[in-house]
Amino acid sequence: MNNILWYQSPAENWNEALPIGNGKLGAMIFGGTECERLQLNEETLWSGYYEYSENPELAKHLPEIRQLIFDGNYQKAQELCVQYMVCSGKGSHSTFQDGHYGSYQTAGDLYIFQNGMKSTTNYRRELDLINGVASCEFGACRREYFVSESCNTIICRITGDIQGISLQYQREDCTVEAQEGLLTATGVQCGGKGLTWAVAIKSVSTQEAFTIYISAATSMFSPENPLEQSKKAVEQAAKIDYDELFKEHCRTFSSYMNRVSFQLGEPNSYSSLPTNERLSHAQEDHTLFPLYFQFGRYLLLSSSRGMLPANLQGIWCKNYIASWNCDYHININTQMNYWPAEVTNLSELCSPFFQYIKFLSQQGAETARDTYAAQGWVAHTITNPWGFTAPGEHPSWGSFMCAGAWCCRHIWEHYLYTKDLAFLKEYYPVLKGACEFFMDFLVREPKTGYLVTCPSNSPENTFIDPNSGKPVAMSAGPTMDNAILYDLFSMTAKSAQILGIDQEFSAKALEIREQLPPFQIGKYGQLMEWLYDFEEAEPGHRHISHLYALHPSDRITLSKTPELAQACKVTLERRLANGGGHTGWSRAWIINFYARLCDGEAAGENLCALLEKSTLPNLFDNHPPFQIDGNFGGTAGIAEMLLQSHEGFVRLLPAIPKSWQEGHFEGLVARGGFVFDVEWKKGQITACQIHSRLGGDIEVLLNGKLMHLSTTAGQSISIVPE
């Protein structure tokens, strides 16, 4: 039962269906009896197209907007931002949905009809997380589903009673053709301005089985005709023995999943229940947390092995115009998708994200030049496969200009985990370009003398304008900007030092860094969100961006800045007391915050709340609607509860609740390339093994004792605690 999701009935809706994927192709499996539904996705199937989107009017109005903000006339400043900041003045959400910005889309639905299969005797539907295989059994029928990486094909095999099977494909705006054993669909997006796409479905029937092969492609990255590409994939897959394909897939998939194991205590009375029934017992069922943890790793493996990073729904989307376009929101959501990658031993899966950041840096150079008359590159809150980097939709939230700079932290984190100098050298220009933009954009705030971003906002949040009494967003030097830019200048300078280049630029970056505003504690004892201690319009707001320095950054820690850590705790208490954590991803971030504060009970309580209040029957995160970042943030939060390495030393079991008295994990990774296997009983570590990938010194806090160890590359060290 461990690492398996299972159910006793077919999915009644999309939120109960089971996801499979190889990073390029995805499917949601419903497990119907007489009629099975596979909802299909291809990672690059987007509406929209590239169109230049800058607003050149902003640069000449920046001095006026800045002066209004410095004078405290926030309302008027925001009105001018609405007029001049967003893509030629376009400020409505529908403009983005209906125009060239586009939306990620479904690749259609395949319906498999099995006449007479109404019996649900001994029905069981399951998802094997380790092998990446979904299955469904009832009566004399069994179906298996997986997505082959080598063949780039979704495969469904039906055995047992295979009489009377027929297929039907459905999708809007496409041409469907059926030949003997082959069904194809083709379409063109946006009246010919967008992508061409195709789906190919091949069926092969023998006495033993009925096998369906499905592939899809678009013109986004390949010069090859999408139809020919899809047909070639299914034809080649059908030539390979099914058992060979199945074994190869399981071997490949499990090689990633088996890098990490995690168990809490022994199975209990809830452990054998169907997965959907277990969610309401999270408080009592400690064995549910390892399953949820591995499900997050499963989702990342299934949605981030292609050309594009995982989007707001990974690769699974049933819509033509999705919520938030199912795009890349880089003011928290895309970054959260990749929080668990390094620590849970899935480092390679960051590659599509890194490639995308580099692409954004190229596109963002146009935005820097034409919107701000600045050097370097910049990207704001929302973006898409076409590299949209301009302020989007409405300046009160879509103009968050440190979003691209936040992405840069992932580049630095990857280096910290891997010490990959070639990688750092390749991506150093991305870091430097982000710095160059802010070196041009930062302006001196007249009252404090600090260098600040202006106009800017604390992501999606508002404060009460002291003059008008109305909620406003635009201000100067919000705390999150200051924290991200401190990181950016520090990481870039350190990278230059490591690479032995750009000494003068490095010195300039550090000089500017020291002129950014410091952290401040407000009248409630909270960490201030803005440069001034404004009243929040929504004290329970879902975004808690000003705690970025606590997590995912490392400037606020219990060991080095205890007063600021306490202010972060007050901030969290105020948010939760006013209804915060009401979206899945926000609750997931709260888990990570409390883990960094080494508060195991609070981290555990919020983890339970995430599962009980914001998790759908198939374990998808519920914003609502489904948004995958909460899954990844939840998995990252559990990892932070078990192991932390951001303070310059490793904390083991820093934030486990008292109910996690016994357990073990294997394969979690600390910065520096150290892999840990840990076992504990009665809350105390009883065994610990460290595998050093790269060699080097490490300090480990184990059962309250700080140990210093020196290692060589490839060495394994076993520690028997006293």
Side-chain angles (χ1 to χ4, degrees):
M1 303 299 293
N2 199 20
N3 297 319
I4 291 177
L5 279 62
W6 75 281
Y7 304 84
Q8 291 179 310
S9 60
E12 294 185 2
N13 55 61
W14 196 87
N15 293 331
E16 295 180 2
L18 297 174
I20 58 174
N22 69 351
K24 299 176 183 178
L25 296 174
M28 296 292 287
I29 312 300
F30 284 68
T33 52
E34 191 172 22
C35 176
E36 167 65 298
R37 175 188 174 191
L38 276 66
Q39 185 270 308
L40 309 173
N41 283 107
E42 201 278 345
E43 64 161 344
T44 62
L45 210 172
W46 282 69
S47 64
Y49 49 92
Y50 176 76
E51 184 175 286
Y52 197 56
S53 302
E54 313 308 324
N55 189 339
E57 294 296 308
L58 177 62
K60 59 188 177 185
H61 289 279
L62 268 178
E64 180 184 3
I65 293 170
R66 285 171 165 171
Q67 192 59 53
L68 287 168
I69 288 175
F70 293 153
D71 291 342
N73 196 341
Y74 302 106
Q75 194 72 35
K76 178 62 175 177
Q78 183 155 305
E79 291 171 5
L80 291 184
C81 288
V82 171
Q83 186 174 356
Y84 297 115
M85 202 167 197
V86 178
C87 300
S88 302
K90 298 175 183 177
S92 69
H93 199 268
S94 60
T95 298
F96 278 79
Q97 289 182 331
D98 299 336
H100 66 272
Y101 183 84
S103 174
Y104 184 54
Q105 293 189 338
T106 178
D109 292 276
L110 176 64
Y111 293 91
I112 305 169
F113 295 97
Q114 287 188 261
N115 295 329
M117 297 299 295
K118 294 182 179 180
S119 171
T120 58
T121 305
N122 298 321
Y123 183 95
R124 181 182 176 92
R125 178 170 57 100
E126 70 174 43
L127 178 62
D128 180 341
L129 300 181
I130 302 302
N131 292 309
V133 177
S135 62
C136 175
E137 287 187 274
F138 54 93
C141 182
R142 174 173 172 81
R143 304 191 195 115
E144 289 178 336
Y145 320 77
F146 63 94
V147 190
S148 167
E149 183 181 31
S150 61
C151 296
N152 196 37
T153 302
I154 300 166
I155 299 170
C156 170
R157 185 173 179 85
I158 306 171
T159 54
D161 190 342
I162 58 171
Q163 303 301 313
I165 297 178
S166 61
L167 307 179
Q168 181 181 337
Y169 172 84
Q170 291 184 1
R171 192 192 188 277
E172 294 178 1
D173 302 327
C174 68
T175 300
V176 179
E177 295 184 0
Q179 303 172 5
E180 183 65 31
L182 181 67
L183 187 153
T184 61
T186 55
V188 181
Q189 297 281 34
C190 300
K193 293 183 179 180
L195 298 169
T196 58
W197 62 270
V199 174
I201 302 167
K202 182 178 179 63
S203 58
V204 177
S205 181
T206 66
Q207 287 186 338
E208 294 79 24
F210 188 92
T211 310
I212 305 165
Y213 304 87
I214 309 160
S215 194
T218 79
S219 59
M220 181 173 287
F221 292 117
S222 175
E224 187 177 358
N225 179 285
L227 178 58
E228 294 306 313
Q229 193 175 345
S230 302
K231 288 168 62 176
K232 184 190 298 183
V234 298
E235 294 288 356
Q236 289 180 345
K239 293 177 182 177
I240 303 173
D241 178 73
Y242 174 81
D243 289 338
E244 182 181 335
L245 265 181
F246 182 83
K247 290 176 182 177
E248 178 200 35
H249 164 75
C250 292
R251 185 166 55 248
T252 300
F253 204 92
S254 64
S255 70
Y256 289 93
M257 291 299 298
N258 281 330
R259 294 176 185 176
V260 173
S261 64
F262 172 36
Q263 183 175 325
L264 284 175
E266 298 298 326
N268 55 46
S269 58
Y270 303 106
S271 303
S272 59
L273 293 175
T275 303
N276 55 315
E277 295 181 23
R278 296 177 68 182
L279 287 172
S280 60
H281 301 289
Q283 297 280 356
E284 302 90 5
D285 183 10
H286 55 264
T287 64
L288 181 59
F289 303 126
L291 179 68
Y292 184 84
F293 172 84
Q294 292 287 28
F295 184 62
R297 296 181 70 243
Y298 168 88
L299 292 177
L300 190 60
L301 179 56
S302 301
S303 64
S304 191
R305 280 185 290 166
M307 297 295 290
L308 290 171
N311 62 42
L312 281 176
Q313 292 185 196
I315 53 169
W316 301 280
C317 175
K318 63 181 177 179
N319 303 110
Y320 296 98
I321 299 177
S323 299
W324 305 286
N325 303 307
C326 203
D327 65 5
Y328 302 101
H329 274 48
I330 53 175
N331 67 345
I332 174 63
N333 313 98
T334 305
Q335 289 92 334
M336 185 178 282
N337 285 1
Y338 288 90
W339 284 353
E342 303 287 355
V343 67
T344 72
N345 224 326
L346 296 173
S347 182
E348 309 97 306
L349 303 186
C350 294
S351 180
F353 187 32
F354 294 141
Q355 294 169 17
Y356 185 67
I357 296 170
K358 185 187 292 185
F359 171 64
L360 285 183
S361 72
Q362 298 160 358
Q363 300 298 104
E366 295 182 351
T367 299
R369 182 191 66 219
D370 295 338
T371 300
Y372 296 102
Q375 300 182 79
W377 71 276
V378 64
H380 298 77
T381 307
I382 61 171
T383 185
N384 62 15
W386 324 116
F388 181 91
T389 52
E393 298 191 339
H394 193 282
S396 66
W397 71 275
S399 64
F400 175 59
M401 66 187 58
C402 287
W406 184 352
C407 291
C408 289
R409 176 155 193 99
H410 286 258
I411 294 171
W412 179 244
E413 287 285 358
H414 183 72
Y415 172 75
L416 292 180
Y417 276 92
T418 65
K419 301 298 183 182
D420 186 338
L421 282 173
F423 171 85
L424 190 64
K425 183 178 181 180
E426 178 184 354
Y427 282 89
Y428 175 76
V430 177
L431 302 179
K432 182 178 180 179
C435 286
E436 287 173 327
F437 171 78
F438 288 102
M439 286 175 175
D440 277 357
F441 183 77
L442 288 171
V443 63
R444 202 164 297 281
E445 204 271 344
K447 296 189 182 77
T448 63
Y450 295 121
L451 290 177
V452 296
T453 52
C454 183
S456 188
N457 59 83
S458 189
E460 305 190 33
N461 203 1
T462 56
F463 60 91
I464 301 299
D465 182 346
N467 295 317
S468 69
K470 296 179 180 179
V472 291
M474 308 309 293
S475 67
T479 299
M480 189 186 210
D481 284 10
N482 306 329
I484 289 175
L485 295 185
Y486 191 99
D487 268 7
L488 177 66
F489 292 131
S490 301
M491 295 182 303
T492 306
K494 185 66 174 177
S495 297
Q497 179 186 344
I498 292 167
L499 296 171
I501 58 175
D502 264 354
Q503 292 184 10
E504 186 176 339
F505 186 85
S506 174
K508 183 180 178 182
L510 294 177
E511 179 185 351
I512 292 175
R513 183 192 73 176
E514 295 310 309
Q515 299 178 64
L516 296 170
F519 296 116
Q520 301 178 82
I521 297 175
K523 55 182 171 289
Y524 301 111
Q526 88 285 8
L527 191 74
M528 281 168 50
E529 186 162 358
W530 294 276
L531 189 61
Y532 296 101
D533 201 3
F534 297 128
E535 288 292 342
E536 299 166 295
E538 297 178 59
H541 199 271
R542 62 194 177 278
H543 282 262
I544 318 176
S545 305
H546 50 310
L547 301 196
Y548 163 92
L550 176 65
H551 182 279
S553 185
D554 54 13
R555 277 185 68 208
I556 297 179
T557 68
L558 279 175
S559 59
K560 296 178 181 177
T561 58
E563 290 185 3
L564 292 175
Q566 176 60 28
C568 291
K569 185 175 182 180
V570 171
T571 298
L572 290 169
E573 291 170 348
R574 281 176 50 78
R575 277 288 203 272
L576 289 168
N578 287 280
H582 49 278
T583 65
W585 65 263
S586 180
R587 182 73 70 175
W589 201 357
I590 290 170
I591 296 166
N592 284 273
F593 286 140
Y594 274 120
R596 286 284 176 93
L597 292 171
C598 296
D599 190 335
E601 294 308 310
E605 288 171 9
N606 282 279
L607 180 58
C608 288
L610 177 67
L611 289 167
E612 292 177 344
K613 299 178 181 180
S614 297
T615 300
L616 295 163
N618 60 2
L619 295 193
F620 271 167
D621 173 69
N622 196 15
H623 180 281
F626 162 54
Q627 203 169 284
I628 204 166
D629 41 23
N631 287 107
F632 296 136
T635 290
I638 293 172
E640 288 285 338
M641 294 166 73
L642 298 172
L643 180 150
Q644 295 175 18
S645 61
H646 62 286
E647 297 174 89
F649 62 92
V650 176
R651 289 182 187 263
L652 295 177
L653 308 186
I656 60 168
K658 293 178 182 177
S659 57
W660 294 15
Q661 282 290 294
E662 183 176 324
H664 74 263
F665 66 79
E666 296 178 1
L668 292 185
V669 185
R671 291 163 181 84
F674 299 96
V675 183
F676 280 79
D677 302 340
V678 173
E679 184 175 346
W680 71 95
K681 294 181 180 179
K682 297 181 180 179
Q684 292 290 300
I685 295 170
T686 55
C688 174
Q689 185 174 65
I690 308 169
H691 175 69
S692 176
R693 290 173 171 170
L694 308 170
D697 295 344
I698 182 174
E699 289 188 322
V700 182
L701 185 63
L702 188 153
N703 291 344
K705 182 180 179 181
L706 190 64
M707 307 177 67
H708 180 89
L709 303 169
S710 295
T711 71
T712 57
Q715 182 182 11
S716 292
I717 299 175
S718 293
I719 302 172
V720 179
E722 297 177 359

